[in-house]
Amino acid sequence: MSGHRLLLPGLRLWTSGKSRWMSRRHDGACFSSCSPKVCIVGSGPAGFYTAQHLIKAQQHVHVDIYERLPVPFGLVRFGVAPDHPEVKNVINTFTQTAKHSRCSFYGNVNVGKDVSVQELQRAYHAVVLSYGAEGNRTMGVPGEGLAGVYSAKDFVGWYNGLPSCRQLSPDLSCETAVILGQGNVALDVARVLLSPVDMLKETDITQPALEALAHSQVRRVLIVGRRGPVQVAFTIKELREMVNLPGTRPDMVEADFDGVTEALKDLPRPRKRLTELMLKTALQTPGETEQERRDQASRTWGLRFFRSPVEVLADPERHRTAGIRLAVTRLEGSGEAARAVLTGDVEDVTCGLVISSIGYKSLPIDQSVPFDSKSAIVPNTMGRIKQAPGLYCSGWLKTGPTGVIATTMNNSFDTARSLLDDMESGVLDLSAAKSGSQVITALLEQRGVKPVSFSDWEKIDRVEMSRGEASGKPREKLLTVEEMLHVART
């Protein structure tokens, strides 16, 4: 193995570059010139998985995680659908990492505002940016700013208790909602809009969202994509949940599935199974029990293909959404690589609610960090940020907003491996002692910023769980930063 030589079993002397430190002598005494200090910005899945791998793979590294909100876990808390509690079980693993003796959590610290990335770089041997994608991709069409148009990111944040989305208060007084985009988030939103309230009452959905959905007039949801059934981005689990959603029936256009049966034989197995379920739902005559269930349904949902938004249509007063104009498309090419091209035809759909689920995007955090505004990522090679030694990235900031939590786990482990390789090869200079959180917390104190520790978060957690228990829910989230800080500090 390059960069070190074995001295005794379990003892390594790092000799690469200027770095020179030993773990422990056989007689138990420490030579340590310094232990590596790494700082991670962002406490979502990417941040925690990066920390987990670093701590497990390197027995001397100390990791500090900085988070803008007083509460950890990012999209696991604020992005995962309330009726998917099993996905949130990963929080147990993250909690173990946060409670590790070589890991510390600092919530309520806004990196880029309360402390700069350059200040973090001076205090740590390495800095990993894992703050995710909090911006919205815009449709870029007229009428996008009308009342009744929301991004899926904000809509999901509203029903999941993200403090910045608390005031969203969407108007659900219309009959038809149109969701643009055909990924898992689009299906999550459709499911929440159409789910029986009694089902949602047993989840950790916020109380204001539950009350709004109880009075919702939305009875029909169309989930629109510019390509065809073979190119949808959602997975079979989410589709199956829609198909089986109590009180609803599917509403498909048979012509959208022309030629799809013939294409099945060339599809990889997961895509084939997903497409078969769509075909069955759209074209097959249901059995007696299923037909009875559909006949009794009061709400409908449908996938609409080969449509791309060109304008959100306003009511006569020009204040609110009254509909959406969709360009009709056709495909050029096939499979994943197929492109949607305009045919010149358009159609108008009457609706009072438009939710754009066309993707999240990362935002620049600090002028000192390179940022590719076109692809909305930090330019990097295997997590190493280009032209910025000692700076790394993981998660959606590294790759763009793609994949599920397992995808993020693998990409975060890759970044952690790059960082560890750089420690071993001497690219990262470990010879200089770094003060880490000691100097950063002193700076924050001077600036009037009081971080929230992991044990402070556990106070918030306990309060939320007990509030939930009182109303028969797994938790009732605190909805403002002020409330969170009040509980953390009492």
Side-chain angles (χ1 to χ4, degrees):
M1 198 182 289
S2 64
H4 69 259
R5 53 194 169 86
L6 286 174
L7 302 173
L8 287 168
L11 177 68
R12 287 170 179 171
L13 172 63
W14 297 76
T15 54
S16 323
K18 297 184 206 168
S19 168
R20 180 183 178 82
W21 58 277
M22 291 178 78
S23 53
R24 190 170 288 276
R25 253 186 1 215
H26 63 281
D27 62 0
C30 279
F31 287 109
S32 154
S33 59
C34 73
S35 60
K37 288 189 171 65
V38 177
C39 142
I40 293 174
V41 179
S43 70
F48 267 110
Y49 279 129
T50 307
Q52 178 188 319
H53 193 81
L54 289 172
I55 288 165
K56 278 188 176 174
Q58 219 294 350
Q59 59 178 338
H60 293 278
V61 72
H62 190 102
V63 178
D64 291 332
I65 300 174
Y66 291 89
E67 166 58 51
R68 188 174 46 128
L69 288 169
V71 295
F73 312 132
L75 272 188
V76 178
R77 179 179 167 100
F78 296 118
V80 172
D83 57 349
H84 283 177
E86 73 288 348
V87 181
K88 300 183 191 189
N89 289 340
V90 71
I91 283 175
N92 300 330
T93 311
F94 296 163
T95 297
Q96 284 177 355
T97 300
K99 291 182 144 186
H100 194 282
S101 58
R102 288 184 283 112
C103 186
S104 302
F105 173 79
Y106 297 91
N108 194 43
V109 178
N110 191 342
V111 173
K113 185 180 167 203
D114 298 334
V115 61
S116 72
V117 171
Q118 286 173 320
E119 285 169 330
L120 292 175
Q121 283 186 280
R122 286 196 286 273
Y124 291 89
H125 293 104
V127 174
V128 185
L129 302 178
S130 304
Y131 60 82
E134 58 174 337
N136 292 315
R137 290 195 182 279
T138 56
M139 293 183 284
V141 301
E144 193 168 7
L146 286 168
V149 181
Y150 305 95
S151 74
K153 185 188 82 68
D154 291 347
F155 197 82
V156 169
W158 167 69
Y159 64 63
N160 272 337
L162 184 63
S164 60
C165 299
R166 190 173 62 95
Q167 306 290 353
L168 198 71
S169 190
D171 183 349
L172 306 179
S173 62
C174 61
E175 186 179 327
T176 300
V178 169
I179 301 173
L180 300 165
Q182 293 182 328
N184 281 341
V185 174
L187 264 59
D188 285 347
V189 170
R191 205 174 58 254
V192 167
L193 280 170
L194 295 176
S195 284
V197 171
D198 285 347
M199 275 175 64
L200 294 174
K201 273 180 184 168
E202 295 173 3
T203 73
D204 67 356
I205 193 167
T206 67
Q207 195 57 33
L210 194 58
E211 286 164 15
L213 288 160
H215 295 101
S216 169
Q217 299 301 305
V218 175
R219 295 290 175 269
R220 177 174 178 246
V221 176
L222 298 179
I223 304 148
V224 177
R226 59 195 164 84
R227 297 195 293 170
V230 175
Q231 288 82 28
V232 294
F234 53 73
T235 51
I236 194 165
K237 175 183 182 286
E238 275 68 21
L239 178 62
R240 200 176 282 123
E241 286 175 325
M242 286 304 307
V243 170
N244 297 325
L245 190 62
T248 71
R249 68 176 179 272
D251 163 28
M252 307 287 206
V253 177
E254 283 192 26
D256 280 352
F257 294 86
D258 287 351
V260 172
T261 304
E262 294 73 41
L264 276 178
K265 63 181 187 309
D266 300 322
L267 297 177
R269 184 171 149 72
R271 171 70 68 182
K272 185 179 179 184
R273 286 175 59 235
L274 169 63
T275 310
E276 283 171 342
L277 179 55
M278 269 188 281
L279 280 166
K280 180 184 172 187
T281 306
L283 306 181
Q284 203 168 311
T285 305
E288 194 179 331
T289 311
E290 174 61 11
Q291 188 60 58
E292 194 178 324
R293 190 185 82 83
R294 290 187 186 185
D295 289 344
Q296 291 172 355
S298 60
R299 302 179 179 198
T300 65
W301 63 273
L303 299 168
R304 292 293 182 271
F305 300 101
F306 311 112
R307 301 290 184 270
S308 182
V310 286
E311 184 180 358
V312 180
L313 305 171
D315 65 358
E317 285 78 43
R318 310 288 305 161
H319 295 315
R320 287 202 49 77
T321 300
I324 187 159
R325 180 160 294 156
L326 301 169
V328 180
T329 65
R330 61 179 172 78
L331 291 188
E332 278 187 359
S334 61
E336 302 283 335
R339 284 191 328 116
V341 295
L342 300 179
T343 62
D345 294 332
V346 296
E347 69 177 35
D348 293 350
V349 177
T350 300
C351 63
L353 180 64
V354 173
I355 297 174
S356 166
S357 185
I358 56 173
Y360 295 30
K361 71 170 183 177
S362 295
L363 302 171
I365 193 174
D366 191 306
Q367 286 183 332
S368 68
V369 180
F371 190 80
D372 179 345
S373 51
K374 191 171 178 226
S375 53
I377 60 167
V378 170
N380 71 91
T381 306
M382 290 295 287
R384 297 176 178 93
I385 296 178
K386 291 179 181 176
Q387 283 107 37
L391 259 187
Y392 301 81
C393 59
S394 66
W396 284 358
L397 185 65
K398 171 185 173 185
T399 60
T402 56
V404 292
I405 288 177
T407 324
T408 298
M409 176 181 76
N410 290 325
N411 114 32
S412 303
F413 287 177
D414 286 344
T415 292
R417 280 190 281 269
S418 292
L419 199 161
L420 292 165
D421 287 347
D422 290 351
M423 280 184 186
E424 190 172 315
S425 67
V427 168
L428 279 179
D429 179 7
L430 300 178
S431 62
K434 298 275 189 172
S435 49
S437 60
Q438 205 177 340
V439 70
I440 299 302
T441 47
L443 275 177
L444 292 169
E445 194 176 341
Q446 286 169 23
R447 293 165 190 175
V449 178
K450 192 177 177 192
V452 167
S453 68
F454 201 77
S455 56
D456 291 336
W457 145 248
E458 289 180 312
K459 289 185 200 171
I460 296 170
D461 187 38
R462 284 193 294 273
V463 166
E464 290 185 342
M465 300 281 270
S466 67
R467 285 188 182 187
E469 201 179 336
S471 55
K473 296 168 71 177
R475 81 168 56 235
E476 189 62 61
K477 291 175 186 168
L478 304 184
L479 300 181
T480 68
V481 168
E482 291 72 26
E483 245 187 316
M484 292 169 183
L485 292 176
H486 175 72
V487 169
R489 287 166 186 168
T490 50

